[in-house]
Amino acid sequence: MNRRMTWAGVVALVVTAAVACTSEDDAAPPASTPSATSSTPTTSSAPPSTPAPSTPAPPAKPTVAPHPVSLQAMMTKKYDGRNLRLGRVLARNSAYTRYYVTYSSGSLTISGIMNVPRTPGRHPALVLNHGYIDPAVYTNGRGLMREQDYLARRGYVVLHTDYRGHAQSTDDPRSDLNLRLGYTEDAINAVLALRTSPSVDPNRIGMLGRSMGGGVTYNALVAQPGLIKAAVVFAPVSADAADNFNRWQRNDRPIASTILRAYGEPTRNPTFWRNVSAINFFDRVTDPVLIHHGESDSTCPIAWSREALAALKSAGKTATLYTYPGEEHAFGPAWPTSMARTVTFLKQHGL
């Protein structure tokens, strides 16, 4: 993740921002209906009085809709990942076949690759969320190449998505303005699409994200609790969107100006920024989380993962953080150990 990860930060914002505190945006409580009063007839020489017509209850106050760019909006959104199509064979070896694939994410078509083990039957599956790569140079299936191969050789169906605006995926002209929360939508729909595959056990699907993709994974966990069985993140961006903005966008004036004009400074509009930060919604997480982070990471500070772990633990969630002395953002010597731990963790949680 280089200096051009300006929008990774945004995704991080987005990605990280997926956490605020409630699933409803200060919705107004429904108006109470006055209780009916019963009138008891009395004996009197005066003619009986005609009961006054009952006063109709005031109309219920409308529920305040969440901001369209927020994790709350993603919580209430309807997802319908479908139309998973295996296209041409990209590669074949003794362990798995690699396909070009597409699936639907709302009105968009998302491309990707899918590694399918050659053993018969249904398999556990993983959606892989890659880190920031400039869409101008990104190609189909690029990113997480080591993980794609490693996991498929261990019996997992692997669906690596290209995200909207990447490779052959449909472009979304509002993606940047929407802080790239659409990437999270694409990841959620990828899980739903995988459930329709005859090669996949629909009850055994997990998610793995790296860097910006770690933020995408955090967002998916809080937007759709219970969607997957377990999640793994490597060197993730911050779960607080303001951290990501300050690190990558703050000094990039064209991008920063666009974001600030639309949503305001984090200090002046804290509600918006809170509601795009996953760390504020970790109470919604239902799935176990494994975090890997190098102690020498100069791109995404390890403090971010320590803060995420503390927030998950404080919310009573199952979460583990492995740290790696001397490891940078990309992982080198410790990568095999981190992957062995990943597979052990997935198997412990039914994947």
Side-chain angles (χ1 to χ4, degrees):
M1 199 186 284
N2 55 28
R3 181 66 182 79
R4 286 203 62 180
M5 180 184 166
T6 56
W7 277 108
V10 174
V11 175
L13 317 175
V14 173
V15 173
T16 341
V19 211
C21 354
T22 72
S23 59
E24 296 179 16
D25 223 7
D26 298 322
S32 58
T33 304
S35 55
T37 1
S38 58
S39 88
T40 304
T42 57
T43 304
S44 146
S45 57
S49 59
T50 304
S54 59
T55 304
K61 295 180 181 178
T63 299
V64 177
H67 192 291
V69 180
S70 68
L71 288 170
Q72 288 100 326
M74 300 203 73
M75 294 169 193
T76 59
K77 190 177 182 67
K78 301 298 182 186
Y79 300 92
D80 62 347
R82 63 199 187 285
N83 296 332
L84 179 64
R85 300 280 185 263
L86 273 65
R88 64 188 180 278
V89 172
L90 301 173
R92 182 180 282 115
N93 57 43
S94 60
Y96 62 87
T97 303
R98 181 180 180 86
Y99 296 92
Y100 171 84
V101 298
T102 59
Y103 66 95
S104 295
S105 182
S107 62
L108 307 183
T109 297
I110 305 302
S111 62
I113 66 91
M114 188 161 148
N115 290 346
V116 181
R118 300 188 69 177
T119 51
R122 292 181 177 267
H123 303 79
L126 294 166
V127 170
L128 269 55
N129 302 320
H130 65 80
Y132 179 78
I133 301 171
D134 185 351
V137 301
Y138 181 91
T139 53
N140 172 239
R142 184 170 175 177
L144 293 169
M145 295 293 289
R146 296 177 299 178
E147 291 80 1
Q148 294 172 27
D149 177 76
Y150 185 100
L151 293 164
R153 290 182 181 278
R154 283 154 182 80
Y156 293 93
V157 169
V158 174
L159 174 55
H160 181 281
T161 70
D162 290 334
Y163 300 143
R164 58 192 60 196
H166 290 67
Q168 289 74 48
S169 296
T170 308
D171 193 20
D172 176 4
R174 294 183 59 85
S175 186
D176 289 344
L177 183 60
N178 293 341
L179 298 180
R180 300 193 176 178
L181 279 173
Y183 294 178
T184 299
E185 183 177 351
D186 298 341
I188 292 170
N189 280 318
V191 174
L192 300 180
L194 269 179
R195 289 179 180 173
T196 68
S197 170
S199 300
V200 172
D201 180 341
N203 298 311
R204 300 172 67 203
I205 301 177
M207 193 173 281
L208 184 150
R210 182 173 203 297
S211 193
M212 179 186 76
V216 171
T217 303
Y218 284 153
N219 288 346
L221 289 170
V222 301
Q224 294 292 296
L227 176 74
I228 57 175
K229 288 189 71 71
V232 181
V233 293
F234 281 78
V237 295
S238 177
D240 186 325
D243 285 342
N244 299 309
F245 174 78
N246 289 330
R247 186 166 183 82
W248 288 295
Q249 281 73 51
R250 172 69 65 184
N251 296 321
D252 191 329
R253 295 320 305 166
I255 292 174
S257 297
T258 300
I259 294 171
L260 294 175
R261 191 162 47 244
Y263 309 121
E265 283 278 358
T267 54
R268 297 183 69 103
N269 189 8
T271 298
F272 171 82
W273 290 92
R274 183 194 68 170
N275 290 342
V276 288
S277 299
I279 197 164
N280 299 313
F281 298 101
F282 277 171
D283 61 316
R284 290 174 52 85
V285 173
T286 60
D287 316 299
V289 181
L290 175 61
I291 307 169
H292 299 288
H293 213 124
E295 293 182 5
S296 298
D297 192 329
S298 59
T299 302
C300 293
I302 193 172
W304 289 349
S305 284
R306 289 180 171 138
E307 290 164 3
L309 177 71
L312 286 163
K313 290 289 193 180
S314 177
K317 308 307 175 181
T318 301
T320 303
L321 168 63
Y322 284 114
T323 64
Y324 299 86
E327 281 292 340
E328 244 287 359
H329 190 61
F331 274 66
W335 184 80
T337 299
S338 70
M339 291 305 296
R341 287 171 169 171
T342 292
V343 171
T344 297
F345 167 80
L346 293 173
K347 291 185 179 300
Q348 285 172 344
H349 294 286
L351 285 168

